Amino acid sequence: MEEQPRQDLTLILGLARAGDEQARGELIALIYDELRQVASRLMRRERSDHTLSPTAVVHEAVIRLLGDAVFDKAADRGFLFAAAARAMREVLIDHARRRAADRRGGGRQRIPLDLILDYFEEQGLDVVAVHEALDRLAEWNERQGQVMTLRYFGGLTVPEVAAALDVSVVTVERDWRLARAWLGGQLREGDQ
């Protein structure tokens, strides 16, 4: 049942890479619902009065994908969804940076924040430090960086990450454990 949409997506990706504008529109329509579901899972962690909606996160992510010409570069589903998860991560990072800048601005009213950022604060973590650590992780082990981004910021399950990266569930579970341990060490070092 899912094989047909995957084949359609691969075919449409090829047409979009070849410059077919109609295929690009079809591609966005095909992935929109799936990206919206991912964003909805992310936003369930958010406060009910959050200023970003799942739709806004997806729209911003798609704009970033278009700006980076990802649809022209995406060779397969895994590349496309990894790029989309990274774009959604960047939307949240930019939101966190604006929040921090607003705090330093003094006297401004605090903007309602998402629970992910609140979770970072409760854990004594700086979301920008996490972002930078994830970039270092990706330099050291690209797949582990992708697993962390897809799991944490993309909100994908282990089987969904395995499908997006075209690896086994066991590989994703191992990468997830190793990446979390590495990231924890990096963040503890940053506190010292």
Side-chain angles (χ1 to χ4, degrees), residues 127-143:
V127 72
V128 176
V130 171
H131 170 69
E132 291 168 355
L134 282 173
D135 284 345
R136 287 191 305 275
L137 174 61
E139 288 174 12
W140 178 69
N141 187 309
E142 183 178 358
R143 191 179 66 223

Side-chain angles (χ1 to χ4, degrees), residues 45-47 50 92 95 99 112-118:
R45 302 176 192 164
E46 309 286 336
R47 290 183 178 173
H50 192 282
L92 291 172
H95 184 73
R99 170 187 176 185
L113 303 170
D114 57 66
L115 292 179
I116 293 172
L117 297 177
D118 289 340

Side-chain angles (χ1 to χ4, degrees), residues 4-31 71 74 80:
Q4 184 62 30
R6 283 178 184 256
Q7 289 174 349
D8 290 346
L9 182 64
T10 303
L11 175 68
I12 293 170
L13 266 171
L15 293 171
R17 277 194 317 274
D20 184 333
E21 290 299 319
Q22 183 178 353
R24 185 170 296 181
E26 288 178 40
L27 182 61
I28 292 170
L30 266 177
I31 66 168
F71 298 121
L80 181 62

Side-chain angles (χ1 to χ4, degrees), residues 13-14 16 28 38 41 49 54 56 67-68 70 84 96 99 101 106-107 114 127 130 159 172 179 182 186 190:
L13 266 171
I28 292 170
V38 169
R41 284 194 300 257
D49 62 345
D68 291 340
V70 169
R99 170 187 176 185
D114 57 66
V127 72
V130 171
V172 171
W182 185 90
Q186 291 290 303

